[in-house]
Amino acid sequence: MTINLTTVFTFEIGSTFDEWLKFFDSKESSERLSEFDIKPLYRGQSKKNPQKVIVIHQAPEGNMQKFFEAHGSWIATHGVNISTIEVSDWI
């Protein structure tokens, strides 16, 4: 039986939130997420720090890791500061 996890990511971006949203909401991004059955639930910007972003996804357990292994370098080229990513998983 596959468990669906809700994964919360926070990280910093090197662009404006609006620029980052164009990437996140793009057709290409959606297609890459769907390869791993990942459903975006929420994305937002910190009120105190406009460079800090939160993203919440839901996916079968292990699929977020597979997604980052396959597309991590692609994500980094779109303004995401990979070293600042913090992750928590929820059942």
Side-chain angles (χ1 to χ4, degrees):
M1 181 173 153
T2 302
I3 296 173
N4 274 333
L5 293 180
T6 300
T7 304
V8 179
F9 296 91
T10 59
F11 52 89
E12 292 185 11
I13 54 174
S15 60
T16 68
F17 185 69
D18 288 338
E19 290 170 336
W20 177 81
L21 273 181
K22 288 177 188 172
F23 155 70
F24 185 81
D25 290 342
S26 71
K27 181 179 178 182
E28 181 180 14
S29 183
S30 179
E31 289 171 352
R32 289 181 186 225
L33 289 170
S34 67
E35 289 174 29
F36 295 90
D37 196 24
I38 298 170
K39 295 172 184 64
L41 301 177
Y42 176 79
R43 78 276 194 281
Q45 177 183 37
S46 170
K47 190 173 179 179
K48 292 182 180 180
N49 178 357
Q51 298 307 118
K52 190 165 185 173
V53 173
I54 184 171
V55 176
I56 303 173
H57 289 101
Q58 200 164 55
E61 188 170 21
N63 282 21
M64 288 305 306
Q65 182 177 350
K66 291 174 188 174
F67 174 80
F68 273 98
E69 288 170 1
H71 301 298
S73 59
W74 173 73
I75 292 167
T77 64
H78 288 87
V80 175
N81 184 342
I82 300 294
S83 67
T84 65
I85 295 176
E86 295 181 20
V87 181
S88 61
D89 291 319
W90 302 78
I91 298 175

